[in-house]
Amino acid sequence: MTHVFGPVSSKRLGQSLGVDLLPPKSCTWNCIYCQLGRTREYTLLRQEFYPPAEILSEIQEAVDSGAHIDWITFVGSGETMLYRGIGRLIDEVKKMTDIPVAIITNGSLFSLPEVRQEALRADAVLPSLNAGSEELHQKISRHAPGFTFRRHLEGLIAFRKEYTGNLWVEVMLLGGVNDTDEALKDITGALAQIGPDMVHLVIPTRPSTEKDVLLPSEERIERAVALMQEVAAVVHPIKGSMDLSGTPDILEAVTAITLRHPVQENELRKALEDRFSDSPQKVGEVMKEMFATGRFSLITQGGEAYWTKKTE
Ligand code: SF4
């Protein structure tokens, strides 16, 4: 499958079927923590990058496979809302299944009424807010010209006024960057203006291409939770876990996930051990088969080994 991957297990969305609508990498931002590598050229024009029928038939196939899916999640190789017609895609998904639909987005295009209109159809929208000031917004997102913090915040405030679904704002906490008291208070102030249903605090547990992206300390994480929970319930960050139970083609499933973002070797091994609890020799066999495809490299960052897509 080209567009659909998973279902992958996530703390926030349970068993989530990912749908990638974009050619890599298509984004309005160039975040310092991005796992997809640098944005070589900003994408600013919304387009129908792939025919809707192609995407919908893959979703239909995944839904028909009988795998347990809690959410169908539009997310992928850049900024999701750059796909023009995402609203119609959601309408079509809703005709085929009752499974709720989520959009993971950087939120940078929400100042445009037509973008907000399309996002209204989702059951949950998870936009990013990593800063509460122009300076930090620029420093972290390294956005295309014009995508200012003010415009970002106003877009999210406008969306909240129109949207009655679940607005779960994602805050990426970066050690030494946006985890000072001043930065956390600015972010909390911006969150208070938006009024999300929940705040999802996340940390960079997967390697980025930038060397100075650090994990925040536990003390800073607790401080962030304490401040932000005055505005909304906060989902505390923990390392993600993969759940491969019920996945029919393991090699294809882990390959699809790892090609999209690096996976901690421990996490991969644990998921395979859970899946093959009655035949543990399969764990090594699958990892060997994956490696033999020649599509992956093993890298180490912060003392952790990761499987990642081999770069040409
Ligand atoms: S918004 Fe997402 S895809 Fe775009 S640069 Fe940031 S992390 Fe990467």
Side-chain angles (χ1 to χ4, degrees), residues 25-39 76-79 105-107 128 130 140-141:
K25 176 193 176 183
S26 311
C27 202
T28 50
W29 288 2
N30 176 26
C31 299
I32 56 173
Y33 60 84
C34 188
Q35 303 152 18
L36 303 171
R38 286 202 159 227
T39 309
S77 309
E79 168 40 27
T105 164
N106 67 16
S128 297
N130 302 321
I140 296 169
S141 67

Side-chain angles (χ1 to χ4, degrees), residues 3-216:
H3 304 290
V4 165
F5 57 99
V8 287
S9 175
S10 82
K11 186 187 179 197
R12 301 179 294 156
L13 294 168
Q15 291 295 109
S16 160
L17 182 77
V19 184
D20 187 352
L21 305 175
L22 308 166
K25 176 193 176 183
S26 311
C27 202
T28 50
W29 288 2
N30 176 26
C31 299
I32 56 173
Y33 60 84
C34 188
Q35 303 152 18
L36 303 171
R38 286 202 159 227
T39 309
R40 291 182 203 280
E41 204 179 324
Y42 294 114
T43 305
L44 304 175
L45 195 62
R46 301 188 70 223
Q47 296 170 56
E48 192 181 274
F49 293 96
Y50 301 105
E54 186 180 304
I55 298 162
L56 290 166
S57 84
E58 286 193 19
I59 298 173
Q60 181 79 64
E61 197 181 320
V63 168
D64 290 347
S65 75
H68 177 77
I69 302 169
D70 294 312
W71 286 87
I72 295 174
T73 307
F74 290 91
V75 59
S77 309
E79 168 40 27
T80 318
M81 297 309 295
L82 280 168
Y83 188 93
R84 188 164 43 79
I86 188 173
R88 266 180 292 125
L89 281 181
I90 296 172
D91 289 344
E92 291 304 316
V93 170
K94 295 208 154 285
K95 284 182 201 161
M96 75 173 75
T97 174
D98 293 336
I99 300 170
V101 174
I103 299 175
I104 296 184
T105 164
N106 67 16
S108 62
L109 295 165
F110 279 57
S111 56
L112 303 172
E114 64 272 25
V115 169
R116 299 200 298 272
Q117 196 58 36
E118 292 204 51
L120 286 179
R121 270 98 137 199
D123 300 283
V125 176
L126 291 79
S128 297
L129 181 89
N130 302 321
S133 69
E134 287 295 347
E135 193 196 341
L136 265 187
H137 181 66
Q138 162 64 25
K139 185 175 177 184
I140 296 169
S141 67
R142 299 185 299 200
H143 51 75
F147 285 84
T148 59
F149 170 67
R150 175 72 15 220
R151 178 178 161 186
H152 187 67
L153 181 61
E154 283 172 0
L156 295 182
I157 292 171
F159 183 63
R160 170 75 294 180
K161 285 195 180 128
E162 297 158 3
Y163 184 56
T164 53
N166 298 294
L167 184 61
W168 298 334
V169 174
E170 180 175 296
V171 179
M172 172 65 81
L173 198 62
L174 302 161
V177 180
N178 62 353
D179 64 346
T180 62
D181 259 29
E182 186 189 352
L184 294 177
K185 283 178 186 163
D186 285 348
I187 296 170
T188 306
L191 287 168
Q193 291 182 64
I194 298 165
D197 299 293
M198 251 199 287
V199 175
H200 290 181
L201 199 56
V202 292
I203 53 177
T205 54
R206 291 176 178 142
S208 97
T209 46
E210 316 274 331
K211 290 201 169 46
D212 49 359
V213 169
L214 301 173
L215 282 170

Side-chain angles (χ1 to χ4, degrees), residues 212-244:
D212 49 359
V213 169
L214 301 173
L215 282 170
S217 67
E218 275 183 45
E219 184 271 328
R220 287 290 89 195
I221 293 174
E222 294 312 324
R223 179 72 176 137
V225 172
L227 283 168
M228 291 173 200
Q229 70 189 7
E230 285 172 19
V231 175
V234 176
V235 175
H236 197 289
I238 53 152
K239 294 188 179 187
S241 71
M242 253 184 185
D243 182 356
L244 298 171

